[in-house]
Amino acid sequence: MSALDLRGWLLKYARSLGFYGARYIQLGRPCWGLEESEPGCAIRYLSTSSQADREDEHWIASDPAIGRIRGAYEPFSWSTRTGASLTPHQRGWLDGERARGVDAGLVLPVQDSAGCPAYLSLFGFDESSIQSLIEKRAPEMAFLAGQFHALAKRLVPIAEWVGRAPRLSNRELECLRLAALGQTVDESGQTLGISGRTVEFHLRNSLEKLGASSKLRAVVLAFGAGAAVAV
């Protein structure tokens, strides 16, 4: 099988349920200090949409469903006609979907053991019909979404925009993790078997690469925005 085969299966499956099409999104690893407003960028993406070439990382990040994926296990619906508590970007995303003829959609979340959750987003149905579908077929759909994700991790490459993110060395990532856990530079040095001065050197490099003003912000960027990717 290939990513193209997966796309074909996803389109066939979505249409068998009455939807226009579907998307698959996997998010970057979460981190300490990650807020709902910063769920992390997509690191894998597959779309059956005829306008998939317009769906870049900024467009994907505006999908209101992203903020609900981490920790979600049950399928849920979304509608382009609801707007409570949405950001302007999210409202614009929904308006754009409605302009394309999409009234509502179905999200099938998948929790990944590596801490990089994913979801299938099927679009085109009316919300009341989706709720009925969830009540009747939620276990089956959740199982298939999990199978799809397992295949997608092997067949769908890491998104090209992730490669544009600053890359941190393993040592820089280790120092960031320990700093986020509250260790001082000396304590981190003892844990890693290096000097505190060397820890400071790695932390300074990671902050400069990420353009972060603090260690915590650097961790958020590294794991939430794809600089450190779990494949």
Side-chain angles (χ1 to χ4, degrees):
M1 294 181 70
S2 66
L4 186 60
D5 293 330
L6 275 182
R7 183 185 182 279
W9 181 90
L10 184 58
L11 179 60
K12 183 178 179 180
Y13 178 65
R15 289 184 173 173
S16 74
L17 296 177
F19 294 93
Y20 303 147
R23 305 178 183 97
Y24 162 78
I25 301 98
Q26 183 184 16
L27 301 178
R29 184 180 301 194
C31 60
W32 302 272
L34 191 67
E35 299 175 355
E36 289 186 2
S37 60
E38 295 179 305
C41 77
I43 61 173
R44 283 189 176 89
Y45 186 67
L46 187 67
S47 175
T48 70
S49 172
S50 60
Q51 300 184 43
D53 58 331
R54 301 182 184 179
E55 299 173 354
D56 60 14
E57 70 269 35
H58 304 296
W59 183 88
I60 297 168
S62 297
D63 179 355
I66 283 184
R68 299 177 60 183
I69 294 305
R70 297 194 186 279
Y73 293 88
E74 299 181 357
F76 60 87
S77 65
W78 54 269
S79 171
T80 59
R81 301 185 184 280
T82 58
S85 303
L86 296 180
T87 68
H89 289 297
Q90 292 171 332
R91 182 68 264 168
W93 190 93
L94 291 175
D95 289 345
E97 288 292 275
R98 188 165 64 252
R100 290 199 278 183
V102 174
D103 288 328
L106 167 67
V107 173
L108 306 175
V110 180
Q111 297 307 315
D112 186 277
S113 59
C116 296
Y119 64 103
L120 294 182
S121 181
L122 287 67
F123 51 87
F125 236 42
D126 67 276
E127 194 169 16
S128 61
S129 297
I130 292 173
Q131 290 297 335
S132 177
L133 184 64
I134 290 173
E135 292 174 3
K136 294 177 181 179
R137 303 179 64 173
E140 168 203 331
M141 294 187 297
F143 179 75
L144 285 174
Q147 287 187 309
F148 187 95
H149 174 55
L151 286 171
K153 287 204 295 181
R154 290 196 294 109
L155 300 174
V156 178
I158 294 293
E160 61 179 21
W161 57 73
V162 175
R164 297 198 298 265
R167 308 303 294 183
L168 302 183
S169 69
N170 288 335
R171 186 62 87 190
E172 288 166 348
L173 288 170
E174 289 172 339
C175 291
L176 275 180
R177 289 190 187 104
L178 294 176
L181 288 171
Q183 288 196 10
T184 65
V185 291
D186 290 333
E187 290 170 339
S188 296
Q190 291 177 359
T191 300
L192 299 173
I194 58 179
S195 69
R197 189 170 182 177
T198 302
V199 172
E200 287 182 337
F201 170 79
H202 289 306
L203 288 173
R204 185 167 59 251
N205 281 348
S206 62
L207 265 66
E208 290 177 356
K209 286 182 179 180
L210 296 167
S213 58
S214 67
K215 296 171 188 176
L216 181 57
R217 182 61 183 168
V219 174
V220 172
L221 292 172
F223 289 93
V229 177
V231 297

